[in-house]
Amino acid sequence: MSKNGYHIAVVGATGAVGQQMLATLEKRTFPIASLKLLSSKRSAGKELSFKGTTYTVEEATPESFEGVQIALFSAGGSVSKALAPEAVKRGAVVIDNTSAFRMDTEVPLVVPEVNPKDLEWNKGIIANPNCSTIQMVAALEPIRQKVGLKKVVVSTYQAVSGAGLEAVDELKTQTADLLAGKEANPEILPVGGDKKHYQIAFNAIPQIDVFQENGYTFEEMKMINETKKIMNMAELEVAATCVRLPIETGHSESVYIETEQEGLSVADIKELLNAAPGVTLQDDTANQVYPMAAHAVGKDDVFVGRIRRDLDRANGYHFWVVSDNLLKGAALNSVQIAESLIQQDLLS
Amino acid sequence: MSKNGYHIAVVGATGAVGQQMLATLEKRTFPIASLKLLSSKRSAGKELSFKGTTYTVEEATPESFEGVQIALFSAGGSVSKALAPEAVKRGAVVIDNTSAFRMDTEVPLVVPEVNPKDLEWNKGIIANPNCSTIQMVAALEPIRQKVGLKKVVVSTYQAVSGAGLEAVDELKTQTADLLAGKEANPEILPVGGDKKHYQIAFNAIPQIDVFQENGYTFEEMKMINETKKIMNMAELEVAATCVRLPIETGHSESVYIETEQEGLSVADIKELLNAAPGVTLQDDTANQVYPMAAHAVGKDDVFVGRIRRDLDRANGYHFWVVSDNLLKGAALNSVQIAESLIQQDLLS
């Protein structure tokens, strides 16, 4: 690092995640020597504030990455596919928050609490997992380390900010319209680019991202495949049902697991999670303490509660996992990857 | 039946479910000779319309049931416990929508599409199952009949109207307040009588009804125990996670099952559900067709979609079940029980 820190670029700086990236870099006093805010042509020229200084957002081009050491990408898969290799060519390490490279066998997919060592074999691009995957593996890893993991069945309760700022606006406008007795006019959710759009206000939509031929959505397949890759367990059984809800920010997950070994008590799990990095246990049912999206917003940790044994299988457990999808689910995890690269002395 | 039909009483007529009971009796042109609308002292004196006639709601007392043949109860467990035996004493058959008698071994718990024959051994009281249980067993029964059922893991997405009209008002008021930048002031949800209350607008609360010592909520234990009783399968493995959401009406469920026998294809399941009474298949992912709460409101059926095989276990399947919790989940099922009693000639 230069004497003042690193030369950083944020691609997609004006988006929901991009703005959280800037807030996170600021909050964690990440060592920054220079900062470039990049975006599509459409958003170029906008002004954003960082540590009291106003920055003008520039259009991202291959040349934008000259001199950049760490490039945080969150501007959609096509932008990453086009520009991440260009950034790497110019010497930057790319931490990519899109799904573009996640399943690429040449690209490590990293949650620093789970598989920081995978950063060692990076070739310039590191992928940040899907938001719903990150919070789940952070909660599962301490259990897996202790008794192994055989099967995971997850049903998600996902917030609209995962679909971008436009989806947040749609939720708010639509909710106000319905409360005023007007009709809902869905234009974005469940998936901006898909054929049909459905009411999200006061509704639950069992579709996030587009459908695959096997009947699962791409979001569900992300959770399935990314969990196996992050945990380095190709044989792990994972199934997911991903649902979009009228919540602005904060993803929740109902998780059922079967462990390899039997005998772990609920008290054991609580102890493991209490000691786990990045995880906060919120589990006191006698006092109605459990994680909730509304309480997780703006917080860094993954919150776990409602831990209980399956009533039939000795290796079965149920729990409830909540996290801010824009922070640990995206921006924070990306910045933590950058911090882990520095800590492990993996930046050239 | 008298020449004009039956003498009916509706207990809890002013509540969310009571009002749907009246609407359902009217819509299905249930044969009614006389109708009594009963309630707590607090709501007595209110006027309600039925088939163009105005009825004054009376306070429910033991004597209210003189001459009543069918009493539909939906006024809370304590009212049912106090007055259902009194109604039976006076010759009425009670169809009770509360949890008061559901697990009583002397009381059949009935979903007419699943176990109509259990009505034969009723001793005057018949229990209507919990809303979230009804829609799930209606969807599961055709599959169970074909290949047996071993395990069920369900995560629910439940609407606030299941907690009564006050909860609906709280959702609306709170949502409007938050949109206007005001604070949320939760007073009812998740459970009116519990110690703490949490924001429901733009949130997901993993608590419905009070917690039991085993870490499950009473709602979750209802789903577990009622499913076994309705299906007459004490050995069936059932687990549930029940979650309250900012949805006015319409419960959704993410269901994972393991069947006894392997080999059922998704096409087989679609065929079974297409032929099942009270079930509508909505499953065409290529055209984004799947069940949603917002589309199920006001409709009688249980809607099933997102049917797909588990990617790991040959006897594993996932699907998504939606129904109007006030109709099939409560009022409609109660009226269908009454119709089934008539059809099976079980009314004295």
Side-chain angles (χ1 to χ4, degrees), chain A residues 150-151 153 155-157 171-172 175-176 179 190 194-196 198-199 202-207 211 214-217 220-221 224 228 236-243 245-248 252 254 256 258 285-295 306 308-313 318 320, chain B residues 150-151 153 155-157 171-172 175-176 179 190 194-196 198-199 202-207 211 214-217 220-221 224 228 236-243 245-248 252 254 256 258 285-295 306 308-313 318 320:
Chain A
K150 203 170 153 189
K151 187 172 189 74
V153 178
S155 297
T156 71
Y157 299 69
L171 169 63
K172 288 182 177 173
T175 304
L179 285 177
D194 214 338
K195 288 170 296 221
K196 294 181 190 168
Y198 298 121
Q199 173 189 328
F202 307 111
N203 196 20
I205 307 180
Q207 181 190 358
F211 282 99
N214 64 358
Y216 289 76
T217 60
E220 288 159 0
M221 292 312 298
I224 292 166
K228 296 179 192 205
L236 181 65
E237 301 181 18
V238 190
T241 301
C242 292
V243 182
L245 294 176
I247 295 170
E248 184 174 337
S252 305
S254 170
Y256 168 67
E258 292 175 8
T285 54
N287 291 302
Q288 291 176 267
V289 173
Y290 37 71
M292 283 185 286
H295 294 178
R306 297 291 331 265
R308 59 211 194 279
R309 301 192 73 140
D310 189 59
L311 299 176
D312 301 292
R313 295 195 180 165
H318 302 267
W320 181 250
Chain B
K150 201 170 155 189
K151 189 173 188 74
V153 178
S155 297
T156 72
Y157 299 68
L171 169 63
K172 287 181 178 174
T175 304
L179 284 177
D194 215 339
K195 288 170 297 220
K196 295 181 188 166
Y198 297 122
Q199 174 188 328
F202 307 112
N203 194 20
I205 308 180
Q207 181 191 359
F211 281 100
N214 65 358
Y216 287 77
T217 60
E220 289 160 359
M221 291 313 297
I224 292 167
K228 295 179 192 205
L236 181 65
E237 300 180 18
V238 191
T241 301
C242 292
V243 183
L245 293 176
I247 296 171
E248 184 176 337
S252 305
S254 170
Y256 168 67
E258 292 176 7
T285 53
N287 291 301
Q288 290 176 268
V289 173
Y290 36 71
M292 283 185 288
H295 293 179
R306 297 288 335 262
R308 57 212 195 278
R309 302 193 73 141
D310 189 60
L311 299 175
D312 301 292
R313 295 195 181 165
H318 302 267
W320 180 251

Side-chain angles (χ1 to χ4, degrees), chain A residues 221-331:
Chain A
M221 292 312 298
K222 281 182 213 165
M223 287 197 80
I224 292 166
N225 293 323
E226 291 179 18
T227 300
K228 296 179 192 205
K229 179 168 176 176
I230 296 164
M231 291 195 148
N232 286 296
M233 290 180 77
E235 74 290 0
L236 181 65
E237 301 181 18
V238 190
T241 301
C242 292
V243 182
R244 190 72 78 187
L245 294 176
I247 295 170
E248 184 174 337
T249 299
H251 286 356
S252 305
E253 297 174 346
S254 170
V255 185
Y256 168 67
I257 60 166
E258 292 175 8
T259 57
E260 276 296 337
Q261 296 157 50
E262 295 179 4
L264 205 66
S265 71
V266 168
D268 292 336
I269 294 181
K270 288 183 179 178
E271 201 177 305
L272 288 171
L273 292 175
N274 247 332
V279 173
T280 295
L281 186 70
Q282 289 184 330
D283 194 338
D284 176 8
T285 54
N287 291 302
Q288 291 176 267
V289 173
Y290 37 71
M292 283 185 286
H295 294 178
V297 174
K299 302 200 178 104
D300 284 351
D301 267 13
V302 172
F303 299 91
V304 188
R306 297 291 331 265
I307 303 163
R308 59 211 194 279
R309 301 192 73 140
D310 189 59
L311 299 176
D312 301 292
R313 295 195 180 165
N315 66 339
Y317 303 89
H318 302 267
F319 47 91
W320 181 250
V321 185
V322 179
S323 195
D324 184 321
N325 51 297
L326 299 178
L327 291 178
K328 185 58 185 169

Side-chain angles (χ1 to χ4, degrees), chain A residues 10-24:
Chain A
V10 175
V11 187
T14 59
V17 173
Q19 294 190 14
Q20 290 300 328
M21 293 236 191
L22 294 175
T24 302

Side-chain angles (χ1 to χ4, degrees), chain A residues 51-295:
Chain A
K51 285 191 182 174
T53 304
T54 300
Y55 290 77
T56 303
V57 180
E58 301 166 39
E59 184 187 352
T61 64
E63 293 70 34
S64 308
F65 299 96
E66 295 289 352
V68 169
Q69 289 172 286
I70 303 171
L72 299 160
F73 274 71
S74 189
S78 57
V79 173
S80 292
K81 272 180 189 158
L83 291 179
E86 297 293 337
V88 173
K89 226 186 272 177
R90 288 165 177 82
V93 168
V94 169
I95 301 169
D96 181 32
N97 191 47
T98 76
S99 65
F101 300 101
R102 286 183 192 148
M103 296 313 299
D104 188 324
T105 53
E106 303 279 293
V107 173
L109 182 69
V110 176
V111 178
E113 292 89 343
V114 181
N115 61 334
K117 290 289 155 205
D118 280 335
L119 291 173
E120 288 172 9
W121 54 268
N122 90 77
K123 293 174 175 150
I125 301 177
I126 296 145
N128 192 68
N130 183 41
C131 46
S132 42
T133 312
I134 293 175
Q135 65 184 73
M136 185 171 78
V137 297
L140 290 179
E141 178 62 11
I143 300 167
R144 188 194 70 81
Q145 282 182 14
K146 188 77 177 177
V147 289
L149 206 53
K150 203 170 153 189
K151 187 172 189 74
V152 180
V153 178
V154 58
S155 297
T156 71
Y157 299 69
Q158 294 183 234
V160 296
S161 59
L165 290 174
E166 285 184 344
V168 173
D169 287 343
E170 173 162 72
L171 169 63
K172 288 182 177 173
T173 307
Q174 210 177 78
T175 304
D177 283 350
L178 287 174
L179 285 177
K182 295 184 207 160
E183 287 211 346
N185 286 306
E187 291 178 347
I188 297 163
L189 290 164
V191 184
D194 214 338
K195 288 170 296 221
K196 294 181 190 168
H197 303 292
Y198 298 121
Q199 173 189 328
I200 183 63
F202 307 111
N203 196 20
I205 307 180
Q207 181 190 358
I208 299 183
D209 218 322
V210 293
F211 282 99
Q212 313 293 289
E213 284 211 348
N214 64 358
Y216 289 76
T217 60
F218 190 47
E219 181 85 356
E220 288 159 0
M221 292 312 298
K222 281 182 213 165
M223 287 197 80
I224 292 166
N225 293 323
E226 291 179 18
T227 300
K228 296 179 192 205
K229 179 168 176 176
I230 296 164
M231 291 195 148
N232 286 296
M233 290 180 77
E235 74 290 0
L236 181 65
E237 301 181 18
V238 190
T241 301
C242 292
V243 182
R244 190 72 78 187
L245 294 176
I247 295 170
E248 184 174 337
T249 299
H251 286 356
S252 305
E253 297 174 346
S254 170
V255 185
Y256 168 67
I257 60 166
E258 292 175 8
T259 57
E260 276 296 337
Q261 296 157 50
E262 295 179 4
L264 205 66
S265 71
V266 168
D268 292 336
I269 294 181
K270 288 183 179 178
E271 201 177 305
L272 288 171
L273 292 175
N274 247 332
V279 173
T280 295
L281 186 70
Q282 289 184 330
D283 194 338
D284 176 8
T285 54
N287 291 302
Q288 291 176 267
V289 173
Y290 37 71
M292 283 185 286
H295 294 178

Side-chain angles (χ1 to χ4, degrees), chain B residues 51-333:
Chain B
K51 285 193 182 172
T53 304
T54 300
Y55 289 76
T56 303
V57 179
E58 300 165 40
E59 184 188 350
T61 65
E63 293 70 33
S64 308
F65 299 97
E66 295 289 352
V68 168
Q69 290 173 284
I70 302 171
L72 299 161
F73 274 70
S74 188
S78 56
V79 173
S80 292
K81 272 181 188 156
L83 291 179
E86 297 292 337
V88 172
K89 228 186 269 176
R90 287 164 178 81
V93 168
V94 168
I95 300 168
D96 182 32
N97 191 48
T98 77
S99 65
F101 300 101
R102 285 181 193 149
M103 296 315 296
D104 189 325
T105 52
E106 304 279 294
V107 173
L109 182 69
V110 176
V111 178
E113 292 90 343
V114 180
N115 61 335
K117 290 290 157 207
D118 280 335
L119 291 174
E120 288 171 9
W121 53 269
N122 91 77
K123 294 171 175 152
I125 301 177
I126 296 145
N128 193 67
N130 183 40
C131 48
S132 43
T133 312
I134 294 176
Q135 67 184 71
M136 186 173 78
V137 296
L140 290 179
E141 178 62 12
I143 299 167
R144 188 195 68 82
Q145 282 182 14
K146 188 78 175 177
V147 289
L149 207 53
K150 201 170 155 189
K151 189 173 188 74
V152 180
V153 178
V154 57
S155 297
T156 72
Y157 299 68
Q158 295 183 233
V160 295
S161 59
L165 292 173
E166 285 185 344
V168 173
D169 286 344
E170 174 162 72
L171 169 63
K172 287 181 178 174
T173 308
Q174 208 178 80
T175 304
D177 283 351
L178 288 174
L179 284 177
K182 294 185 209 161
E183 284 211 348
N185 287 304
E187 291 177 349
I188 297 165
L189 291 164
V191 184
D194 215 339
K195 288 170 297 220
K196 295 181 188 166
H197 302 291
Y198 297 122
Q199 174 188 328
I200 183 64
F202 307 112
N203 194 20
I205 308 180
Q207 181 191 359
I208 300 184
D209 219 321
V210 293
F211 281 100
Q212 314 292 290
E213 285 211 347
N214 65 358
Y216 287 77
T217 60
F218 189 47
E219 180 85 355
E220 289 160 359
M221 291 313 297
K222 282 183 216 167
M223 288 197 79
I224 292 167
N225 293 323
E226 292 180 18
T227 300
K228 295 179 192 205
K229 179 168 175 176
I230 297 164
M231 291 193 147
N232 287 294
M233 290 179 76
E235 74 289 1
L236 181 65
E237 300 180 18
V238 191
T241 301
C242 292
V243 183
R244 190 72 79 189
L245 293 176
I247 296 171
E248 184 176 337
T249 299
H251 286 356
S252 305
E253 296 173 349
S254 170
V255 185
Y256 168 67
I257 60 167
E258 292 176 7
T259 57
E260 277 295 337
Q261 296 158 50
E262 296 179 4
L264 205 66
S265 71
V266 167
D268 293 334
I269 294 180
K270 287 185 180 178
E271 201 177 307
L272 289 172
L273 292 174
N274 247 332
V279 173
T280 295
L281 185 71
Q282 289 185 328
D283 194 337
D284 176 9
T285 53
N287 291 301
Q288 290 176 268
V289 173
Y290 36 71
M292 283 185 288
H295 293 179
V297 174
K299 300 200 179 107
D300 285 349
D301 268 14
V302 172
F303 299 91
V304 187
R306 297 288 335 262
I307 302 162
R308 57 212 195 278
R309 302 193 73 141
D310 189 60
L311 299 175
D312 301 292
R313 295 195 181 165
N315 66 339
Y317 302 89
H318 302 267
F319 47 92
W320 180 251
V321 184
V322 178
S323 195
D324 183 321
N325 51 298
L326 300 179
L327 291 179
K328 185 58 184 169
L332 173 63
N333 198 68

